[in-house]
Amino acid sequence: MDTAAPPTGAVRTVFTAEHEIFRAQVRRFFEREVVPFHREWERAGIVPRELWLKAGAEGLLCPMLAEEFGGAGADFGYSAVITEEIGRCNATGVGFPLHSDIVVPYVEEFARPEKKREWLPRMAKGEIITAIAMTEPGMGSDLKAVKTHARRDGSDWIINGSKTFISNGQNCGLVIVVCKTDPGAGRKGISLICVEEGTKGFVKGRNLDKIGMHAADTSELFFDEVRVPAENLLGEENAGFSYLIRNLPQERLVIAIRAAASMEAMLQKTIEYAKDRKAFGQTVFDFQHNRFKLAELRAQATMFRVFADHCLALHMNGGLSIEMAAMAKLMGTEMQNRLLDDCLQMHGGNGYMADYEIGRAWADARVGRIYGGSSEIMKEIIARSL
Ligand SMILES: Cc1cc2nc3c(=O)[nH]c(=O)nc-3n(C[C@H](O)[C@H](O)[C@H](O)COP(=O)(O)OP(=O)(O)OC[C@H]3O[C@@H](n4cnc5c(N)ncnc54)[C@H](O)[C@@H]3O)c2cc1C
């Protein structure tokens, strides 16, 4: 059905009427609980934990999680709706997609049954906020080079190392730590181990000072002889790399979906601004150059929306390949960066002011080309299929 007509020429067919009812609820939640406070959270560098509890109570966390663990057992379309609404209001501090669509799925798929029963219902309620720690001070793109190490000691794992740039890093109640468990085995020596907040030797470092995404807490994490029970291992020992590779397409699709929503929202605001702002006795929109620029941007945003929806539909049917997810992330974030830059330009000096949403969105978007696998790594992945 034709729903959620965006401010582009795209006719959307990927969502059902039920998804759209859910969207209305999500939008109300964001307008009531997030938009009025986001600037304050940007200054604080973090979103309050209470927001997570409110979102959990409204069923906005972990929609895909099985009902027996407190989720809705819904399809990925519901997660996509939440991501789009975050993109629409540029609430980049709200780390729900990382939690619901990236971290919790590892726990649901690979944790021991008793740990699933202990953790998952609390994750759905927002009582446990999650993070995933891959990146280290000395490595990011080359995941197999992680140095953080875990060794067995009786029935425990003992972890040593440090991580950086970890999203939800300050707020997290549980972090999946990517560790070397067989240092000589490269990618076949990596395991995923859960560490809970409060575990002796696990220290959260600085909440890092970024150039954008100011409300998102991004942290250093330190592990000094951190002892966790063997049951905290996800899946099989030394199989962590294959789990990460399998789940990365969903992470990249989430970033692409957010880019599509951000482009549409910011373009719409820019059109409104250009029609209102006067220069040389006419509106900014009246200059042919600007009308043509906006027309070009609308064509680009429409084209990407169609592609993003195609990838979303493929993913909902279980058929999104690693290459297609990489294309979606590459094209979405590169296009978003250029489009937001053009939109900022059309705002003139106001565009450079933090009071205007466009400037903040522009700075927030820059990281899209870096995290979740950089644009260069996306090209590597795509090139492998040539
Ligand atoms: C705001 C933010 C949030 C983040 N959240 C998380 C998180 O929650 N968890 C987590 O684990 N990490 C997170 N990261 C880390 C992020 O995933 C890494 O920064 C990213 O993967 C790049 O790694 P790097 O910074 O080490 O860059 P490097 O790997 O050092 O790369 C430097 C440059 O070299 C290029 N390059 C590297 N390899 C190649 C190659 N083979 N071919 C061509 N060019 C190459 C890169 O594209 C980049 O331009 C986050 C980062 C930021 C900024």
Side-chain angles (χ1 to χ4, degrees):
M1 61 185 299
D2 173 12
T3 52
T8 66
V11 174
R12 307 195 66 187
T13 55
V14 71
F15 293 117
T16 63
E18 285 73 28
H19 288 122
E20 293 309 327
I21 291 167
F22 182 65
R23 183 190 300 280
Q25 181 204 341
V26 177
R27 191 167 292 184
R28 278 197 304 276
F29 179 86
F30 274 82
E31 277 167 7
R32 188 181 70 240
E33 304 290 350
V34 175
V35 173
F37 310 107
H38 203 267
R39 285 289 280 146
E40 198 179 311
W41 301 337
E42 284 170 15
R43 282 186 278 272
I46 194 162
V47 164
R49 287 188 179 197
E50 294 72 52
L51 179 76
W52 288 78
L53 298 174
K54 286 179 188 169
E58 285 221 18
L60 304 194
L61 298 178
C62 313
M64 288 188 296
L65 181 66
E67 288 179 65
E68 61 171 311
F69 299 122
D75 60 51
F76 182 74
Y78 288 83
S79 283
V81 162
I82 295 169
T83 298
E84 287 187 7
E85 292 306 307
I86 289 175
R88 198 183 72 87
C89 61
N90 201 41
T92 45
V94 179
F96 299 165
L98 172 69
H99 172 79
S100 304
D101 308 326
I102 296 164
V103 187
V104 171
Y106 288 115
V107 178
E108 184 177 19
E109 194 171 353
F110 299 115
R112 305 284 178 269
E114 68 277 15
K115 289 291 167 190
K116 289 187 194 187
R117 285 193 295 276
E118 180 187 338
W119 290 331
L120 288 170
R122 299 188 60 210
M123 290 174 177
K125 285 185 189 150
E127 292 170 2
I128 299 179
I129 298 168
T130 60
I132 183 159
M134 299 181 252
T135 308
E136 301 183 353
M139 81 83 214
S141 303
D142 185 12
L143 198 53
K144 67 179 182 321
V146 301
K147 291 239 172 349
T148 296
H149 179 256
R151 67 175 195 276
R152 275 304 281 265
D153 182 41
S155 61
D156 294 334
W157 287 103
I158 298 183
I159 305 171
N160 281 287
S162 58
K163 299 286 182 179
T164 193
F165 304 152
I166 307 308
S167 303
N168 293 344
Q170 294 287 310
N171 264 338
C172 69
L174 181 146
V175 55
I176 298 176
V177 187
V178 177
C179 303
K180 268 274 162 70
T181 37
D182 183 353
R187 66 179 62 189
K188 294 200 170 130
I190 289 173
S191 301
L192 309 183
I193 303 178
C194 297
V195 177
E196 291 178 87
E197 189 179 31
T199 308
K200 190 161 173 276
F202 169 33
V203 175
K204 296 176 179 178
R206 285 180 302 148
N207 188 4
L208 298 167
D209 189 12
K210 305 184 291 299
I211 61 167
M213 304 250 299
H214 291 298
D217 54 312
T218 310
S219 303
E220 296 172 323
L221 301 177
F222 301 103
F223 304 88
D224 180 14
E225 290 288 293
V226 174
R227 181 179 285 273
V228 296
E231 307 85 80
N232 282 24
L233 175 74
L234 294 180
E236 300 294 321
E237 184 176 339
N238 295 326
F241 194 85
S242 63
Y243 303 153
L244 292 169
I245 296 297
R246 215 160 75 203
N247 287 4
L248 280 173
Q250 181 158 301
E251 174 172 356
R252 291 175 181 151
L253 180 61
V254 167
I255 295 171
I257 290 170
R258 183 140 95 190
S262 155
M263 282 192 268
E264 287 168 358
M266 289 304 137
L267 179 56
Q268 189 59 33
K269 282 185 198 295
T270 305
I271 293 167
E272 285 159 20
Y273 183 88
K275 286 184 172 175
D276 187 55
R277 178 79 178 176
K278 299 267 186 342
F280 296 95
Q282 57 185 32
T283 71
V284 166
F285 185 82
D286 288 329
F287 295 106
Q288 189 189 54
H289 171 85
N290 297 334
R291 276 203 320 283
F292 278 17
K293 176 53 78 180
L294 289 167
E296 192 185 311
L297 299 183
R298 183 167 145 105
Q300 283 172 14
T302 301
M303 195 175 69
F304 187 70
R305 166 56 71 203
V306 172
F307 180 59
D309 275 1
H310 175 65
C311 290
L312 174 55
L314 284 177
H315 189 54
M316 286 167 73
N317 291 315
L320 182 68
S321 66
I322 289 174
E323 290 78 24
M324 284 291 270
M327 287 182 210
K329 183 190 180 275
L330 173 69
M331 296 314 292
T333 56
E334 292 287 339
M335 213 178 242
Q336 179 194 19
N337 271 263
R338 283 194 298 271
L339 184 141
L340 294 192
D341 193 68
D342 284 335
C343 288
L344 186 153
Q345 185 70 15
M346 213 167 291
H347 279 73
N350 282 333
Y352 201 68
M353 296 297 122
D355 280 344
Y356 276 76
E357 214 177 331
I358 183 63
R360 302 204 305 279
W362 173 82
D364 292 346
R366 186 61 184 82
V367 76
R369 295 171 58 202
I370 299 169
Y371 70 5
S374 67
S375 288
E376 292 71 30
I377 297 299
M378 295 306 101
K379 288 178 195 172
E380 274 291 338
I381 292 168
I382 299 160
R384 270 179 226 145
S385 66
L386 300 181

